Amino acid sequence: MSYAINRVVVIGSGTMGGGIAAHVANAGIPVYLLDIAPKELTQEEAKRGLNVDHPQVRNRIVTASLERLKKSKPAAFFMQEAAELVTVGNLEDNFEWVGEGDWIVEAIVENLPPKRELVARIEKARKPNSIVSSNTSGLPIAAIAARTSPDFKAHFLGTHFFNPPRYMKLLEVIPTRETKPEVIEFMTDFAERRLGKGVVICKDTPNFIANRFGSISGATALGYVLENKYTIEEADTILGPLIGRPKTGLFRLQDLVGLDVSSSVGANLYELIEHDESREVLRNQNLDTLRTRQMERGRLGDKTGQGFYKKPPLGVKGDILTLDLETLEYRARCEPDIASIKEALKIKPLAKRLEFVLAKDDRAGALARHTVYNSLAYAARRIPEITDQIINVDRAARWGFSHELGPFELWDALGVRKTAEAMEANGIVVAPWIKEMLAAGHESFYRSDNGRLSYYDPARKTYVAEQAAKDETPAATVGARHALSGIEYMRQMMAGELTSSGMAQLMDFRLVEVAEGRAVFSIKPDERHYNGLGIVHGGLAATLLDSAMGCAINTMMPAGKIFTTLEMKINYTRPMRRETGEVLCEASVIHVGGRTATAEGRIVDASGKLYAHGTATCMLFRG
């Protein structure tokens, strides 16, 4: 059976449902966005003389959601024209639209009974072979469809997007035992190629991979912060870019998620993981008390304008205030007074910076040790429960939470044996399979085998190669790039330890020199590179310059940070032919900033004669 998605139906127009609908529309696919029909009039509707049967009233909730999406920052739509692909309706008047959908996404409230009721309605209305998925962030996928037919179950799975769907790369795909393999394969390919997602296949376990790891790790850190009376500024500074995590840190992330949401997720998760040795962190008394008192005061985070931080009212200029965790009153920001933080931030490579912090006998070192060691150890103890493959945990952390490195990648960077010993010295349990791995002489989670990335498989007790994408050159370089800094990656490629890119192999150019801020490629043009005029096609020069300038920038990137070309300008000075002989494309970095970098390059022959030159601007982001 072949599948195609030409129409999507999203049910539930809240933050996630609306965001999913917008991102599908960004891909050029028409979307029906449905939500409940209100039962009562607002005061404004009553003044206008409307009744509850009026279309504007019936679609009030979903229409308001679409309008928010149009004005959202960051923008939910690539272009405002994409919003025209979204048609709004309600679950009473327009439910027959479900029958037009090739993919129906359920994104309603996180509660099992309503979800079961909805999928029962969907089953009656869907057309044959349409795919149905739930965007639940943690409810058992099989339980949602437990009362449906075998055919429905065969076409049902979980598709857990991360907020905001347009910008967060991770998509967790959660099949059940009944889901057809071809449905899993199709949805994975569709999400990667059409929606631009990084797909991680998850087991149907509580909170799947990313939220399971994030919930326990976050609660572990929050409990320690409250017990040891860190300020919010201290916690967010230490647990942010300093240790390879985003600027949201610990408390800013809580405000983004919403205190009500994080509290509910934690409570639900606790009941579902009786076997989990770490689950008690979810019921930390200090954390429960803090959340309860904040929620009683309506301080839910960004959605209410105040949580652990308080923003000035919309349209009013002013400073963002910070919650004092002792008095629970807001005050002006107070910068952390920990000398080692400033010293550490001068160290650019993450592994060296983190080693520096972990070794410090101060408040920064103590919190970093507690957070990093516990989170890495917890990730290892969840194998094979939540996934059999360590690479899935690393991708979930990077793509879902914007960590520079996933837990096993970070463990590799710090040294597996040394870090395991440090964990045990701090009273943290190391998973038995880690000890077995080390005892067998395996000192890392990742390695390069004949130019191809491999990772350790605890079940097989050996290394397995990363699966190459269909119809693509086996790309060990992709996985290796996340575990290595840019300069390390480029040096391994030049040494032949990693395979060159498919484009380099196709056009037959090679890397001959690399240093920080510099990359040089070599090629011998021949008739294969000619255009119809009998000279080397200009596209060859463009490809060489783009590759060299990008690689020069890459040498300045830390592990986990990658780039893509935003703009390139080329000037051609003379044609190349076979007789030209070997040419070099030399590139060097002009500037590297936080979000963009620029480089310049030139193509010259053995005598130094110039054939083309150019400049490039690249966008930098976490891979």
Side-chain angles (χ1 to χ4, degrees):
M1 173 66 197
S2 60
Y3 295 92
I5 294 178
N6 298 308
R7 164 76 69 178
V8 174
V9 180
V10 179
I11 301 176
S13 66
T15 300
M16 290 308 302
I20 293 168
H23 192 56
V24 169
N26 289 334
I29 302 171
V31 186
Y32 286 137
L33 180 60
L34 305 177
D35 213 318
I36 59 173
K39 301 297 184 184
E40 297 179 355
L41 296 174
T42 64
Q43 290 184 352
E44 178 62 28
E45 288 167 342
K47 288 180 181 179
R48 292 169 54 198
L50 302 178
N51 58 50
V52 291
D53 295 323
H54 194 282
Q56 290 183 17
V57 177
R58 304 283 282 176
N59 291 335
R60 180 214 310 149
I61 293 172
V62 68
T63 300
S65 174
L66 180 58
E67 292 306 310
R68 285 194 300 272
L69 288 168
K70 292 177 181 179
K71 300 173 184 176
S72 65
K73 293 183 180 179
F77 292 104
F78 288 164
M79 301 177 293
Q80 282 300 311
E81 290 80 0
E84 297 174 5
L85 290 172
V86 180
T87 302
V88 298
N90 66 75
L91 293 173
E92 294 182 21
D93 304 326
N94 310 111
F95 199 79
E96 71 276 5
W97 291 353
V98 169
E100 298 179 38
D102 301 301
W103 175 28
I104 302 116
V105 185
E106 173 275 303
I108 64 170
V109 62
E110 282 288 278
N111 194 331
L112 186 57
K115 287 183 182 291
R116 280 181 167 173
E117 291 176 11
L118 179 59
V119 297
R121 291 186 66 191
I122 292 172
E123 181 173 21
K124 294 177 181 178
R126 64 182 279 265
K127 65 183 178 181
N129 293 314
S130 61
I131 295 169
V132 184
S133 70
S134 171
N135 185 61
T136 177
S137 59
L139 292 175
I141 299 299
I144 294 173
R147 299 171 182 171
T148 60
S149 67
D151 179 73
F152 186 92
K153 291 173 182 174
H155 293 84
F156 184 73
L157 71 170
T159 50
H160 180 211
F161 287 81
F162 280 66
N163 189 37
R166 175 184 169 184
Y167 297 93
M168 298 306 294
K169 183 174 181 178
L170 179 62
L171 174 64
E172 292 181 319
V173 171
I174 311 98
T176 70
R177 292 181 179 180
E178 290 83 9
T179 309
K180 283 185 175 181
E182 53 265 41
V183 170
I184 304 168
E185 182 180 359
F186 171 78
M187 286 303 297
T188 299
D189 184 75
F190 172 81
E192 290 176 342
R193 295 179 183 270
R194 194 74 183 268
L195 301 182
K197 293 299 171 187
V199 173
V200 170
I201 304 295
C202 303
K203 293 184 178 182
D204 192 6
T205 56
N207 284 41
F208 316 129
I209 296 177
N211 279 355
R212 178 71 169 276
F213 173 73
S215 295
I216 296 293
S217 298
T220 299
L222 284 164
Y224 188 87
V225 164
L226 296 175
E227 180 181 346
N228 292 277
K229 300 188 182 304
Y230 284 79
T231 66
I232 285 177
E233 293 93 341
E234 286 175 333
D236 278 359
T237 300
I238 296 166
L239 301 183
L242 186 73
I243 66 168
R245 297 187 179 184
K247 293 180 180 179
T248 48
L250 186 64
F251 288 97
R252 180 75 187 92
L253 180 60
Q254 290 286 309
D255 278 357
L256 281 171
V257 172
L259 271 67
D260 54 338
V261 173
S262 61
S263 180
S264 175
V265 168
N268 291 336
L269 179 59
Y270 182 89
E271 299 298 335
L272 294 170
I273 54 172
E274 293 182 9
H275 61 284
D276 192 318
E277 74 288 336
S278 299
R279 76 166 182 158
E280 292 304 322
V281 300
L282 297 170
R283 284 196 171 176
N284 180 282
Q285 189 58 54
N286 291 331
L287 180 56
D288 281 349
T289 300
L290 175 61
R291 281 176 170 164
T292 299
R293 293 177 69 181
Q294 284 289 91
M295 289 190 290
E296 287 174 348
R297 301 181 185 192
R299 298 170 173 177
L300 304 182
D302 286 2
K303 66 180 74 176
T304 58
Q306 55 182 350
F308 293 112
Y309 292 93
K310 183 178 182 180
K311 297 179 179 179
L314 191 63
V316 177
K317 292 184 178 180
D319 295 329
I320 296 176
L321 303 178
T322 307
L323 185 73
D324 186 306
L325 293 174
E326 294 296 315
T327 65
L328 295 189
E329 299 297 332
Y330 293 102
R331 54 162 174 75
R333 178 176 175 81
C334 182
E335 293 296 330
D337 185 20
I338 304 174
S340 67
I341 293 177
K342 292 182 180 179
E343 289 300 311
L345 289 172
K346 296 176 183 177
I347 305 171
K348 297 302 180 183
L350 173 58
K352 292 180 180 179
R353 182 170 71 247
L354 189 51
E355 284 180 355
F356 177 88
V357 176
L358 293 172
K360 285 297 175 182
D361 187 20
D362 60 10
R363 287 171 67 77
L367 179 55
R369 285 190 294 274
H370 183 82
T371 301
V372 172
Y373 290 158
N374 272 291
S375 64
L376 301 191
Y378 182 75
R381 294 197 301 269
R382 296 282 67 78
I383 304 290
E385 179 198 344
I386 60 176
T387 180
D388 296 322
Q389 301 171 323
I390 63 170
I391 197 171
N392 284 341
V393 182
D394 285 337
R395 286 171 170 168
R398 282 191 282 105
W399 296 343
F401 300 132
S402 297
H403 289 191
E404 283 193 34
L405 295 174
F408 297 103
E409 294 165 336
L410 184 59
W411 203 333
D412 260 3
L414 294 173
V416 179
R417 186 178 297 275
K418 179 177 69 174
T419 304
E421 291 171 352
M423 289 174 181
E424 293 189 314
N426 282 269
I428 298 168
V429 177
V430 176
W433 70 265
I434 300 285
K435 297 180 180 181
E436 291 177 6
M437 183 185 87
L438 292 169
H442 302 306
E443 296 289 334
S444 66
F445 296 111
Y446 291 91
R447 72 183 189 188
S448 177
D449 291 327
N450 298 319
R452 188 171 184 182
L453 182 71
S454 296
Y455 57 88
Y456 187 77
D457 185 318
R460 300 179 186 178
K461 302 184 189 304
T462 188
Y463 292 85
V464 296
E466 180 185 19
Q467 185 178 2
K470 284 193 310 179
D471 305 323
E472 294 181 4
T473 302
T477 53
V478 176
R481 181 58 189 88
H482 296 308
L484 300 171
S485 67
I487 187 67
E488 291 170 330
Y489 167 84
M490 298 302 300
R491 284 171 176 162
Q492 286 195 18
M493 182 174 290
M494 195 170 76
E497 297 173 11
L498 290 172
T499 55
S500 57
S501 70
M503 180 60 75
Q505 295 176 44
L506 177 67
M507 304 191 78
D508 200 21
F509 60 83
R510 60 192 178 91
L511 182 66
V512 295
E513 182 185 336
V514 66
E516 287 195 1
R518 177 176 167 81
V520 181
F521 283 93
S522 168
I523 191 171
K524 291 183 178 180
D526 59 34
E527 287 84 351
R528 294 175 301 162
H529 303 126
Y530 279 15
N531 60 20
L533 301 176
I535 58 176
V536 171
H537 196 290
L540 176 66
T543 302
L544 273 173
L545 284 164
D546 186 34
S547 299
M549 291 187 290
C551 287
I553 289 171
N554 192 27
T555 65
M556 308 296 288
M557 296 296 100
K561 196 166 188 178
I562 57 178
F563 67 94
T564 188
T565 303
L566 284 176
E567 180 183 57
M568 186 170 66
K569 186 175 190 292
I570 301 174
N571 292 284
Y572 299 94
T573 58
R574 52 174 51 88
M576 287 186 285
R577 296 182 174 85
R578 179 177 59 81
E579 293 77 17
T580 303
E582 181 182 33
V583 296
L584 298 177
C585 184
E586 307 169 334
S588 57
V589 171
I590 299 172
H591 168 75
V592 176
R595 295 186 177 181
T596 60
T598 53
E600 59 186 359
R602 56 203 302 266
I603 298 176
V604 297
D605 64 14
S607 67
K609 188 180 295 183
L610 182 67
Y611 287 82
H613 59 95
T615 57
T617 300
C618 291
M619 179 175 68
L620 314 179
F621 56 98
R622 299 293 173 199

